Amino acid sequence: MAEIELLNGVAEVPKDDWNALVGDQSPFLEWDFLASLEQADCVGDTSGWSARPLVARENGRVVAACPLYLKSHSEGEFVFDWNWADAAERAGISYYPKLLVGIPFTPVGGTRFLVASDQDRTHWVSQLGHALLGLCEDNDLSGVHVLFCAPEEVEPLERLGFELRIGVQYHWLNEGYADFNEYLSRFRSKRRNQIKRERRGMVEEGIEIEALTGDEITPDLIDPMYEFYCSTVNTRMWGRQYLNRKLFELLIERSRHRLCFIVARQKGQIIAGTTNVQKGDALYGRYWGTRQDVRYLHFNVCYYAAVEHCIRHGLKRFEPGAGGEYKQTRGFDGQPTYSLHFLREPRLRQAVSRFLSGERDHMRDSIEWLHENSVLKPNEVT
């Protein structure tokens, strides 16, 4: 007989038990990342991200789970529902608190319902989905939102009454490139020459860029990488500081084998950098910042150096994060993202359902257009 319980944090689950469910899935689902967010106080009751992971056990063994949060706002989610919240308020409907299944501050797609390898995934997605709806009803919550989930999780949740939302991100895919020049050969001449000019700008400025991984990532990098993260947050109107120095310290201590810091040096001094995370055949871009405003520096550190790293190490995919249509002109093609939403109040549910129906059609058309208008020439099959 299975027992499903609500805990007060991923840190309450033994690390090996949780990671056994994660397997080869996203590194952001791993115990080290989620528990570090809790232990660094980046998530918690005072932040509006109350960690309440849902865990299923059979005969004492953890067989399924999902990272679950009780939210009192919609910050740090990257699937924007503020208009829904405003509409609910105008109609006299309480929108907060709500339940959210996802990874805090991390717009990375993938599995959201973790299931042991010897278990039936569809069964447990449905079972945990039922449990989420029960929590919503029993605690008078407005709804449940499952963000950036895997495609195979969509249908089981739709059968429970969740509504699908489609978004778009720009990802780089490795088609077996031998080096960066071979990748450049896929561009039409105007765009290829522009990228060469942007890369040449680093040489002219005397800037060297390198990727650091594993033991190359040392504690003395905590302060500059945290500084770079804060610099971007503090200089953007939309910037929100969700992370603190303690988290960077914990990640370097616990997850050095997952990190890839790409840093730019000028006259021997680090002037810019980006924090990336890698696992399996994928690289994920996260936090960028700089001490100097140098033309083209952002594109080189965040994209070109990361692509070179992927090619050099045989990584198949690079996901640089949410937004940024300019990524499309640099060889990152549009890929769909999926989220599921259940709203308990019938009027709000119907209104959002109508909105999502039209939005889905628009997003599918947009992604099709992006593929048809890729800046990359079709790969010649020999």
Side-chain angles (χ1 to χ4, degrees):
M1 181 68 180
E3 296 180 354
I4 299 179
E5 61 179 328
L6 205 61
L7 303 181
N8 290 313
V10 171
E12 288 191 354
V13 183
K15 177 177 176 178
D16 290 344
D17 289 355
W18 183 272
N19 284 344
L21 299 181
V22 176
D24 60 1
Q25 299 297 322
S26 168
F28 300 103
L29 288 166
E30 293 179 340
W31 189 96
D32 283 333
F33 185 75
L34 294 176
S36 293
L37 285 173
E38 297 168 8
Q39 293 165 349
D41 291 326
C42 296
V43 301
D45 294 347
T46 59
S47 71
W49 283 85
S50 299
R52 298 291 188 270
L54 201 58
V55 175
R57 288 185 171 89
E58 282 188 340
N59 300 318
R61 176 195 172 206
V62 177
V63 294
C66 63
L68 177 64
Y69 298 86
L70 182 66
K71 291 294 304 295
S72 60
H73 53 68
S74 292
E75 297 283 354
E77 297 176 9
F78 298 93
V79 176
F80 304 114
D81 64 350
W82 288 304
N83 288 340
W84 305 355
D86 290 343
E89 182 178 356
R90 290 194 299 270
I93 302 167
S94 296
Y95 195 76
Y96 304 108
K98 64 180 184 178
L99 289 176
L100 184 144
V101 178
I103 305 169
F105 328 123
T106 307
V108 171
T111 296
R112 290 297 171 264
F113 294 86
L114 308 177
V115 181
S117 59
D118 62 347
Q119 299 288 311
D120 185 313
R121 274 195 53 77
T122 302
H123 167 78
W124 280 112
V125 172
S126 296
Q127 290 296 306
L128 292 176
H130 274 295
L132 290 167
L133 297 182
L135 286 169
C136 182
E137 182 69 32
D138 295 344
N139 294 278
D140 196 26
L141 304 176
S142 71
V144 185
H145 306 263
V146 182
L147 305 188
F148 298 104
C149 65
E152 65 270 16
E153 294 171 333
V154 171
E155 185 178 351
L157 294 179
E158 284 185 319
R159 289 200 296 266
L160 296 176
F162 285 78
E163 286 273 354
L164 173 64
R165 190 172 197 183
I166 298 177
V168 63
Q169 288 186 356
Y170 299 89
H171 298 170
W172 178 85
L173 301 178
N174 189 346
E175 298 187 14
Y177 303 114
D179 52 32
F180 194 86
N181 285 332
E182 184 177 347
Y183 171 56
L184 274 183
S185 71
R186 289 286 305 282
F187 288 81
R188 292 171 175 82
S189 60
K190 181 179 180 180
R191 175 49 54 187
R192 181 167 60 249
N193 290 334
Q194 176 62 29
I195 293 175
K196 287 181 177 179
R197 184 158 51 248
E198 292 173 355
R199 283 163 61 82
R200 192 163 57 244
M202 299 299 96
V203 178
E204 294 168 354
E205 294 285 350
I207 295 173
E208 297 180 344
I209 301 173
E210 65 176 333
L212 305 174
T213 60
D215 291 340
E216 296 171 321
I217 295 177
T218 52
D220 63 298
L221 291 170
I222 294 173
D223 285 329
M225 300 310 286
Y226 175 60
E227 175 193 337
F228 295 143
Y229 162 73
C230 291
S231 72
T232 298
V233 168
N234 294 334
T235 57
R236 299 294 188 272
M237 180 179 66
W238 41 259
R240 300 289 186 276
Q241 184 175 341
Y242 301 122
L243 311 181
N244 54 30
R245 187 186 182 281
K246 179 64 175 178
L247 179 69
F248 281 75
E249 181 180 328
L250 287 173
L251 291 180
I252 288 180
E253 175 188 329
R254 296 172 169 176
S255 302
R256 184 182 285 109
H257 64 296
R258 295 284 189 231
L259 298 177
C260 174
F261 289 169
I262 295 178
V263 298
R265 288 188 172 91
Q266 189 177 51
K267 297 180 179 179
Q269 299 298 312
I270 296 179
I271 63 167
T274 182
T275 298
N276 305 276
V277 179
Q278 62 184 38
K279 182 180 178 182
D281 62 2
L283 180 72
Y284 305 90
R286 302 306 308 127
Y287 318 115
W288 139 267
T290 181
R291 292 169 175 159
Q292 298 183 28
D293 185 14
V294 180
R295 194 180 189 188
Y296 306 137
L297 183 61
H298 173 253
F299 299 139
N300 277 277
V301 173
C302 291
Y303 307 120
Y304 304 146
V307 166
E308 275 198 297
H309 175 77
C310 289
I311 293 173
R312 188 176 301 116
H313 296 278
L315 302 181
K316 301 299 184 185
R317 187 174 79 257
F318 173 38
E319 300 185 17
E325 289 79 3
Y326 54 82
K327 297 169 187 171
Q328 200 257 354
T329 63
R330 290 167 173 81
F332 292 71
D333 283 330
Q335 304 294 335
T337 63
Y338 304 100
S339 298
L340 278 301
H341 306 268
F342 175 84
L343 295 168
R344 193 165 59 91
E345 209 283 331
R347 293 172 297 160
L348 185 60
R349 182 166 65 246
Q350 291 170 8
V352 169
S353 178
R354 289 193 296 270
F355 166 77
L356 289 178
S357 177
E359 187 188 55
R360 285 193 297 269
D361 291 340
H362 171 71
M363 292 308 302
R364 289 182 178 116
D365 289 344
S366 297
I367 293 168
E368 182 179 356
W369 184 92
L370 287 170
H371 284 204
E372 291 173 350
N373 291 272
S374 172
V375 298
L376 299 178
K377 296 181 292 185
N379 194 13
E380 297 181 1
V381 179
T382 58

